[in-house]
Amino acid sequence: MSAVSMTATQIRYVNKSFWRNPASAFFTFAFPLMFLVIFTSLLGHYNVQIGTRTVNSATYYVASMATFAVITACYNNIAIQITFQRDAGVLKRTNGTPLPSSSFLGARKAFYSASIPTGLTLVRFLIVLVVGAASFCALGLAVTAAIPNAEASAAIVNATILPLLFLSGVFIPFGNSTPSWILWIARVFPVKHFFDGMKAGFLGTPFNWTDTLVVAIWGLAGLLLAIRFFSWEPRTG
């Protein structure tokens, strides 16, 4: 069996195992929708200024929660599930099979690439989505090297991503009074750049290829770290 065939088989397995876990499916798809309802209900409707463009807050949160959904699926889920599988010995047994490691890891990245929202067909939006999904998958695999055991996975994953979601304007839109140090931190990490690319697709704001490049660089760094430090066996000691 070729590596391509084994990758396709692994994708089908990952797909089935994902949908057989209702909690994972809920937090990937329903959780961002729940946040969308909460934010729009609690904060009401108001105008958000994005550069020279003014959009309704409800429209803004559609783009922000779409970004949140992609990151949750590609970063949070992969990091947590891989850690649990590592500690349970699943990765060690998988590594002992004829399945190439590239097929195993590639199937994870292919399955968690989110789909395009209905009606959005812009090529640039497709590129941002694919690059963002692949990059956060790679970062999710990389962060498993810093997680000592399955019990600590959720805490470490959330600690590394939640502050960036707030500091990147995903949950709370930036205003004219946003401190400069927050804007500086946001520009360093990939979340804001991915969000800016998603806003360009959803809201029609100016598109900047630099945002895609920054996200891709972070993804490449995550991939290199994952290749170097990824562990198939449970941690000891």
Side-chain angles (χ1 to χ4, degrees), residues 5 15 19 21 24 30 40 49 51 68 76 82 95 114 118 130 149 155 164 178-179 183 189-190 195 204 209 221:
S5 299
N15 188 14
W19 288 110
N21 186 343
S24 294
T40 55
Q49 191 72 29
F68 178 49
N76 297 46
I82 288 293
N95 194 36
T118 303
V130 171
N149 52 62
L164 292 180
T178 302
L183 297 176
F189 294 96
F195 184 32
W209 283 108

Side-chain angles (χ1 to χ4, degrees), residues 160-181:
T160 56
I161 197 63
L162 280 179
L164 292 180
L165 290 170
F166 279 99
L167 292 173
S168 300
V170 175
F171 291 149
I172 302 174
F174 286 153
N176 295 329
S177 60
T178 302
S180 59
W181 66 269

